[in-house]
Amino acid sequence: MTDRKSSCGDGLRHPRDLGAHPEASTIVSASMEDGHDIVESLQSRRSGLTDAEVTAHRDRYGANTIRQHHARSWRVLAAQLKSPLLLLLFATAVASAFLGEASDAVIITLILLVSVGLGFINEYRAARTADAMHDRLRHTVVVVRNDERASVDVTDLVPGDIVVLNVGTVVPADVRLLECHELVCDESILTGESVPVAKASKQLETTPGGLGDLTSCALMGTVVHGGDGIGIVVATGSNTEFGRIAQGLGEQNPQTAFQLGLARFSRFLLIVAIVLSSLIVIGNILLGRPIIDSLLFSLAIAVGITPQLLPAIVSTSLAAGSRVLAKRRVLVKRLVCIEDLGDLDLLITDKTGTLTTGRIAFSRAVTVAQQSADDVIRYGLLATEADLSAPASSVLGLNSLDAALWQSEAASEAGVGTYVRHSLLPFDHERRMTSALVTRTGESAELVSKGAAESIFPRCRQVSDEASATLSELYRTGARVVAVAVRPAPDIHDVTEADEHDLELIGFLAFADPPKVNARDSLDRLTALGITVKIATGDSAGVAEHVCSELGMPAVSTLTGDQVDAMDDAQLEAAARGCTIFARVSPEQKSRIVRSLRRTGWAVGFLGDGVNDALALHHADIGISVDSAVDVAKDAADVVLLDKDLGVLADGVAEGRRIFANTIKYVLMGTSSNFGNMFSASIASVVLSFLPMLPGQILLNNLLYDASQLAIPTDRVDKEQLTAPSHWDIGAIRRFMLIFGPISSLFDFATFALMLFVFHAAPAEFRSGWFIESIATQTLIIFAIRTRRTPFLRSRPSAALTAAALAAVGVGTLLPYLPVSNLLGFTPLPAAFFFALLAMVIAYLILVELAKVVYYRTTSLHVSPAIGAAARSLAHHLERRASRFTAHAH
């Protein structure tokens, strides 16, 4: 076989050909063997493994995990020390100690240790938070063990386990199918093919050419698209094809667009740092200055401009964000889900329970034939999956409409006890109806069909204009409507789909589900966040349009499921972009709509809580469910809302955007005052006859500044910063540096002139003055940069950020007056200096405010929705799927 792998565009490849992976022979050989033989070879049986056998198999094969997670302190510490600049500075400090400059070396080493310690403490705490979040979640699968069905954690599966697969289930291991009923699997995560693959339990006759040809197997990580089946686990964990691909991502999660932006920014600053430090070394050597001093100074400059605590600030922001969201009753499964929430610009949601109360109540029966309203109700009750002999105890598993009908007062008076139900064809999302074969004592059998009017009408002999008008009127009032039809069936013994014909429409059952009181406010909040809301519902277009009208939500256009099916992908992409309501859509159609909208560039969130929502939840950029949802929906979701309320979701989106906005504040500071100060130091080191600041002083300045910025994650964010997703724009950041960096340098040069020509300062006094001015301007600029508004007057910073910034300036100002000042190379300054400093700081902040107006008039960190699809690569979705197969490492 030839290798026919195809690139996915992001460095990963879909394994279309099994020849590329000889290890896949387990699943290949299983596909060509008889199912009974497979069960025997794995020492299992159709009644499942016993507990003792499960333990023995786990000891032999290991847990069903792809990777493990654990906040290892040494790993976090190693990440802090991986900066080559830090390591080189440590080495240079040690070398300087041997050359007689022990005090400077000790000071530099201590400052670096404190800086590394700050980053370590914050990142380790964030890692512990992520661990706790992961341990709180469980992904389960239904298995047969000890001759009983049970729900177990997917990581507990072992080869030989008998698993049950239903719509929306993520296949938990490589499985050889034993039974199938119209089973179809979406294998795009492995093969890249968007068309689902039909499965069968029959063994293959020839060697499969690729993963897509393994029709007798269900592969780990794929999703059951339709039907159901039972199979036996033949491979788990890293022995599966999905496991090998996921392990190829590495032990660390693939980088998100947010993290990639951080990396690009850090590389940009590193280049700037290398250029500056190289020029300093060359210039000082040409001027005949000591090489060690020049090297230490240049490295301190490089470290000073490098955003050492940026990873810690991001991690701290995400960890703090997860705690804030938990208080607001939003649970995220992984920290990066917060970033995804912030990117959200399109939400697709059902209306039941989100826009409406979800408390569906039977309203009335409307007749269109000779039967009475009681007859319509009676026949409607018969065509449900409730146990007619004990309906009260069997209502729990029914759909919401059937349950509401049985719980109505009319049900107790309907007289269904005089009927016997012989056969039932359950509801499915393709037919959208239920049919039952019933008889009444002394009478012949009847076929009763109940379901969506659009499904019942074509199966009726005739539908009068009056009936159609009655249906339209019911829809106009916002009622949810179920049509009921019957026909004599003396020759039917077991109902099939082929029997659903020649029916007589006898009436409609109307149900009420009023809009939520706060739904309009929630929609307004989402609109204010720049999020477009679209409705995908199994209800009729008329009902959905009525609800939208009552909530003031403009229904631009409506697509029905039948119309969706009639369109190819290109047509659907064009139509879905401008559509508000998708009515009478099946689970497969919901999933297809989500995929289409993602391809148009939206960052798509899908909110659903039923079995029929699981497929769409898997395919959305971020799947959102609720705590009261069915297990398969919660399992598929990335975010779980403890309240089914769009207002709670708006809180989550705002928090994700707040984290990005606060991170950008630190970035902009690092490219303005921080860069400006280092640039000033570079120039001064060549012009002056002495170093403008000692290496230890530069690092101490950087440490005070960075420590104050650890409070940025607590800061408030202006409303306009939340109105749309924001993304990295290195060009905009570079322009910010080129505008605000020189402003900072301008006041540095003014300080140089003040110290040299007014105070005639000696080197120690010069360094003390510039150190204080530098820490003051570099730190206080956060109050200007944090907002586009006028600081304090129209935008107040958080109390923690204010306190931290003022504390940093206070400590920097006091250092020359402390007992350790001589050790640090500082000396006290005259009182006149501080009056001049106050004037310069005020002038600096005013000039920054003026420059801010010019900058923001021409630059925006907001981008169009087109970033959405590109930001989420195959690696992103692989990691999202793989997270369910991760266990805690003890």
Side-chain angles (χ1 to χ4, degrees):
M1 291 179 286
T2 57
D3 186 355
R4 294 179 286 122
K5 294 180 184 177
S6 68
S7 173
C8 298
D10 56 1
L12 291 175
R13 295 177 181 272
H14 281 309
R16 296 180 189 273
D17 190 89
L18 292 170
H21 291 291
E23 315 88 62
S25 58
T26 300
I27 192 65
V28 173
S29 60
S31 70
M32 296 186 291
E33 291 185 40
D34 180 73
H36 178 73
D37 294 339
I38 292 288
V39 173
E40 283 193 349
S41 66
L42 288 169
Q43 299 176 344
S44 184
R45 62 197 68 81
R46 294 297 295 268
S47 59
L49 300 171
T50 65
D51 292 339
E53 288 170 332
V54 169
T55 302
H57 283 218
R58 187 174 297 112
D59 291 340
R60 178 180 177 184
Y61 299 106
N64 185 32
T65 58
I66 293 172
R67 64 170 68 100
Q68 297 180 328
H69 74 95
H70 185 60
R72 306 279 186 189
S73 55
W74 61 267
R75 186 175 293 168
V76 177
L77 182 60
Q80 299 298 309
L81 297 173
K82 68 181 180 182
S83 167
L85 287 174
L86 279 179
L87 296 175
L88 187 57
L89 191 54
F90 269 125
T92 310
V94 172
S96 67
F98 284 104
L99 295 175
E101 299 183 18
S103 60
D104 284 348
V106 170
I107 291 171
I108 291 171
T109 303
L110 287 175
I111 292 171
L112 286 175
L113 287 174
V114 172
S115 179
V116 168
L118 277 175
F120 167 76
I121 291 170
N122 281 277
E123 288 209 54
Y124 185 60
R125 287 179 59 195
R128 293 287 298 272
T129 299
D131 268 2
M133 185 181 302
H134 192 286
D135 290 339
R136 185 179 62 199
L137 301 169
R138 289 290 179 269
H139 297 282
T140 60
V141 64
V142 177
V143 301
V144 179
R145 287 180 180 173
N146 302 305
D147 204 18
E148 294 181 352
R149 291 194 177 193
S151 180
V152 303
D153 194 294
V154 293
T155 60
D156 289 335
L157 281 184
V158 296
D161 261 326
I162 305 297
V163 298
V164 180
L165 304 176
N166 294 300
V167 174
T169 301
V170 174
V171 180
D174 280 353
V175 174
R176 171 65 167 89
L177 296 168
L178 303 176
E179 292 181 18
C180 289
H181 181 258
E182 299 182 355
L183 183 65
V184 180
C185 290
D186 178 354
E187 298 182 341
S188 58
I189 197 78
L190 290 177
T191 65
E193 300 296 337
S194 59
V195 179
V197 179
K199 299 293 182 177
S201 58
K202 184 180 178 181
Q203 67 193 78
L204 302 183
E205 299 297 334
T206 59
T207 302
L211 292 178
D213 298 330
L214 294 173
T215 54
S216 61
C217 301
L219 301 173
M220 183 191 220
T222 62
V223 181
V224 177
H225 195 82
D228 54 68
I230 295 176
I232 183 169
V233 174
V234 297
T236 56
S238 58
N239 293 320
T240 65
E241 186 61 38
F242 179 83
R244 279 187 289 273
I245 297 172
Q247 282 198 323
L249 298 175
E251 284 298 315
Q252 300 300 316
N253 294 345
Q255 290 187 309
T256 63
F258 185 79
Q259 292 164 329
L260 289 171
L262 286 177
R264 286 196 299 271
F265 168 68
S266 297
R267 286 195 296 270
F268 165 66
L269 279 192
L270 181 60
I271 292 171
V272 174
I274 290 172
V275 171
L276 281 180
S277 57
S278 299
L279 291 175
I280 291 169
V281 172
I282 295 170
N284 277 267
I285 290 175
L286 291 176
L287 293 172
R289 293 171 183 169
I291 294 179
I292 287 293
D293 288 350
S294 301
L295 188 58
L296 274 172
F297 181 78
S298 64
L299 287 173
I301 289 290
V303 171
I305 201 173
T306 304
Q308 293 167 256
L309 292 187
L310 183 55
I313 285 178
V314 173
S315 299
T316 301
S317 295
L318 290 174
S322 71
R323 292 190 290 271
V324 169
L325 289 179
K327 291 179 181 177
R328 296 180 179 178
R329 302 184 63 73
V330 179
L331 300 181
V332 293
K333 293 187 176 181
R334 294 174 295 132
L335 287 181
V336 294
C337 294
I338 300 175
E339 299 172 19
D340 292 340
L341 269 177
D343 283 344
L344 188 67
D345 50 27
L346 172 64
L347 175 67
I348 303 176
T349 178
D350 191 3
K351 64 178 182 58
T352 305
T354 50
L355 300 179
T356 64
T357 62
R359 294 188 292 273
I360 298 172
F362 173 65
S363 176
R364 59 194 171 110
V366 179
T367 63
V368 294
Q370 300 300 317
Q371 284 87 351
S372 66
D374 290 340
D375 290 332
V376 177
I377 295 171
R378 183 183 309 111
Y379 281 121
L381 291 167
L382 291 170
T384 65
E385 297 179 48
D387 183 352
L388 298 184
S389 62
S393 61
S394 61
V395 169
L396 186 60
L398 299 181
N399 65 61
S400 56
L401 294 178
D402 286 352
L405 183 61
W406 275 105
Q407 291 167 345
S408 66
E409 292 183 6
S412 60
E413 303 170 0
V416 294
T418 60
Y419 282 80
V420 176
R421 185 167 57 209
H422 301 285
S423 177
L424 178 75
L425 187 60
F427 178 91
D428 67 60
H429 294 283
E430 296 299 324
R431 292 166 42 253
R432 296 198 294 267
M433 57 187 293
T434 304
S435 292
L437 182 66
V438 299
T439 58
R440 192 174 189 176
T441 306
E443 297 181 7
S444 60
E446 292 179 293
L447 178 69
V448 183
S449 294
K450 172 177 66 69
E454 292 84 352
S455 298
I456 295 291
F457 279 16
R459 291 170 169 84
C460 292
R461 290 196 302 270
Q462 182 180 1
V463 176
S464 66
D465 293 339
E466 180 186 356
S468 297
T470 300
L471 177 64
S472 297
E473 178 61 22
L474 288 171
Y475 281 159
R476 191 190 66 77
T477 62
R480 299 183 65 174
V481 182
V482 173
V484 182
V486 298
R487 78 171 175 90
D491 300 326
I492 298 177
H493 302 287
D494 190 18
V495 182
T496 66
E497 190 172 344
D499 298 318
E500 295 172 330
H501 62 83
D502 290 330
L503 300 169
E504 180 187 357
L505 181 70
I506 63 170
F508 304 105
L509 299 170
F511 299 82
D513 184 16
K516 280 186 175 179
V517 175
N518 64 344
R520 185 188 287 264
D521 291 339
S522 297
L523 287 171
D524 289 343
R525 286 189 61 195
L526 290 172
T527 300
L529 291 168
I531 297 174
T532 301
V533 179
K534 297 179 185 289
I535 308 301
T537 178
D539 279 344
S540 69
V543 174
E545 289 168 355
H546 177 82
V547 171
C548 288
S549 174
E550 284 195 318
L551 294 173
M553 181 179 171
V556 177
S557 66
T558 300
L559 280 181
T560 64
D562 291 340
Q563 290 172 316
V564 169
D565 279 342
M567 297 178 179
D568 60 27
D569 288 345
Q571 291 171 326
L572 181 58
E573 287 174 20
R577 191 183 297 115
C579 181
T580 305
I581 298 171
F582 304 96
R584 292 294 191 210
V585 285
S586 67
E588 183 177 347
Q589 290 163 346
K590 289 182 182 179
S591 174
R592 188 175 170 220
I593 289 165
V594 166
R595 296 197 304 269
S596 294
L597 288 167
R598 286 189 63 241
R599 286 195 296 270
T600 62
W602 297 94
V604 180
F606 184 87
L607 174 57
D609 62 355
V611 173
N612 58 330
D613 296 319
L615 291 175
L617 286 167
H618 283 301
H619 285 115
D621 287 311
I622 183 161
I624 307 160
S625 193
V626 294
D627 196 38
S628 58
V630 298
D631 287 344
V632 71
K634 284 195 290 187
D635 186 67
D638 302 294
V639 174
V640 177
L641 309 180
L642 298 185
D643 296 321
K644 194 171 184 182
D645 184 352
L646 292 181
V648 175
L649 178 60
D651 289 339
V653 173
E655 185 63 24
R657 294 183 184 174
R658 190 184 72 82
I659 288 171
F660 186 91
N662 280 338
T663 303
I664 285 292
K665 294 173 186 177
Y666 180 87
V667 169
L668 296 182
M669 287 186 68
T671 53
S672 55
S673 60
N674 208 18
F675 168 75
N677 286 341
M678 297 306 104
F679 178 76
S680 304
S682 305
I683 299 297
S685 69
V686 177
V687 175
L688 299 176
S689 60
F690 56 88
L691 289 178
M693 203 181 289
L694 298 176
Q697 293 171 339
I698 292 175
L699 295 175
L700 182 59
N701 182 295
N702 191 53
L703 175 62
L704 287 173
Y705 155 79
D706 269 344
S708 71
Q709 303 318 301
L710 285 173
I712 282 180
T714 70
D715 193 27
R716 300 183 178 95
V717 172
D718 298 336
K719 288 183 179 179
E720 58 266 26
Q721 292 177 279
L722 304 177
T723 56
S726 296
H727 300 277
W728 289 95
D729 183 346
I730 299 300
I733 294 172
R734 189 184 299 116
R735 287 193 296 275
F736 192 95
M737 181 186 76
L738 295 177
I739 292 175
F740 293 87
I743 294 176
S744 176
S745 293
L746 177 65
F747 284 87
D748 288 336
F749 295 144
T751 303
F752 296 166
L754 177 71
M755 300 307 296
L756 291 174
F757 303 120
V758 177
F759 295 110
H760 306 288
E765 194 173 23
F766 179 96
R767 292 163 182 156
S768 300
W770 186 40
F771 181 91
I772 294 174
E773 182 269 341
S774 174
I775 196 67
T777 55
Q778 187 178 13
T779 304
L780 295 178
I781 194 177
I782 183 60
F783 298 121
I785 287 177
R786 61 170 296 277
T787 178
R788 301 186 185 191
R789 304 176 180 180
T790 305
F792 295 101
L793 297 179
R794 297 185 58 236
S795 177
R796 292 186 298 110
S798 69
L801 181 60
T802 303
L806 295 179
V809 175
V811 171
T813 303
L814 288 174
L815 280 176
Y817 302 92
L818 297 178
V820 295
S821 62
N822 289 334
L823 185 63
L824 295 172
F826 294 127
T827 189
L829 295 167
F833 167 79
F834 292 99
F835 289 106
L837 174 66
L838 179 62
M840 282 194 295
V841 169
I842 293 173
Y844 173 62
L845 294 178
I846 291 174
L847 189 55
V848 166
E849 281 298 308
L850 295 175
K852 208 168 70 175
V853 173
V854 175
Y855 175 78
Y856 284 120
R857 189 173 292 164
T858 58
T859 305
S860 173
L861 290 174
H862 292 314
V863 297
S864 68
I867 192 72
R872 286 161 182 80
S873 63
L874 171 65
H876 178 94
H877 288 278
L878 273 169
E879 175 56 33
R880 175 178 164 189
R881 194 72 53 82
S883 65
R884 67 187 55 239
F885 305 109
T886 304
H888 190 96
H890 298 285

